[in-house]
Amino acid sequence: VQLQASGGGSVQAGGSLTLSCAASGSTYNIDAMGWYRQAPGKQRELVAQRTKAGTTTYADSVKGRFSISRDYSGNTVALRMNGLKLEDAAVYYCNAKDKIFVDRNYWGRGTLVTVSS
């Protein structure tokens, strides 16, 4: 499984960005897709994910501001980020989880999100 992410960039606090990620290859192996982020000096954390069945999970810090969606094929996921805060600045990583081997993760290259005041 290969994950291709796009959409990072710079935005002022309060602004919006949308991240997209497309999976290719053996996509029948994957279930949940979503985004993690890692800020300097911090551990990578789950931001949001969506299973093929439509179950969504959000970090408490982004609830009500971020929205994750997935296309009909299940191979593309988008993260709409509204009301961005300084603390949202991080490298965001697209993630997909194997539906059989639950501890197996697939990762895309990180995309940088910068939030300025």
Side-chain angles (χ1 to χ4, degrees):
V1 175
Q2 295 80 45
L3 302 176
Q4 181 67 46
S6 61
S10 298
V11 66
Q12 285 191 322
S16 299
L17 280 175
T18 298
L19 305 181
S20 295
C21 177
S24 60
S26 301
T27 57
Y28 50 84
N29 283 340
I30 62 177
D31 186 4
M33 285 186 71
W35 295 89
Y36 284 68
R37 69 186 179 188
Q38 188 167 19
K42 295 188 176 181
Q43 288 189 331
R44 191 174 296 189
E45 62 174 355
L46 173 68
V47 177
Q49 72 177 23
R50 189 180 182 99
T51 67
K52 281 191 173 179
T55 301
T56 57
T57 302
Y58 292 95
D60 287 342
S61 60
V62 308
K63 285 180 181 177
R65 299 188 296 122
F66 291 12
S67 178
I68 190 166
S69 60
R70 200 160 170 180
D71 74 341
Y72 184 77
S73 73
N75 294 332
T76 300
V77 67
L79 182 69
R80 177 65 176 176
M81 305 184 292
N82 295 323
L84 281 159
K85 303 178 180 180
L86 297 178
E87 52 265 39
D88 293 319
V91 177
Y92 284 69
Y93 296 90
C94 181
N95 169 269
K97 299 188 187 300
D98 195 285
K99 66 180 180 182
I100 302 297
F101 302 102
V102 294
D103 292 331
R104 179 178 293 173
N105 288 277
Y106 305 97
W107 296 98
R109 287 188 178 182
T111 184
L112 180 64
V113 172
T114 303
V115 183
S116 60
S117 59

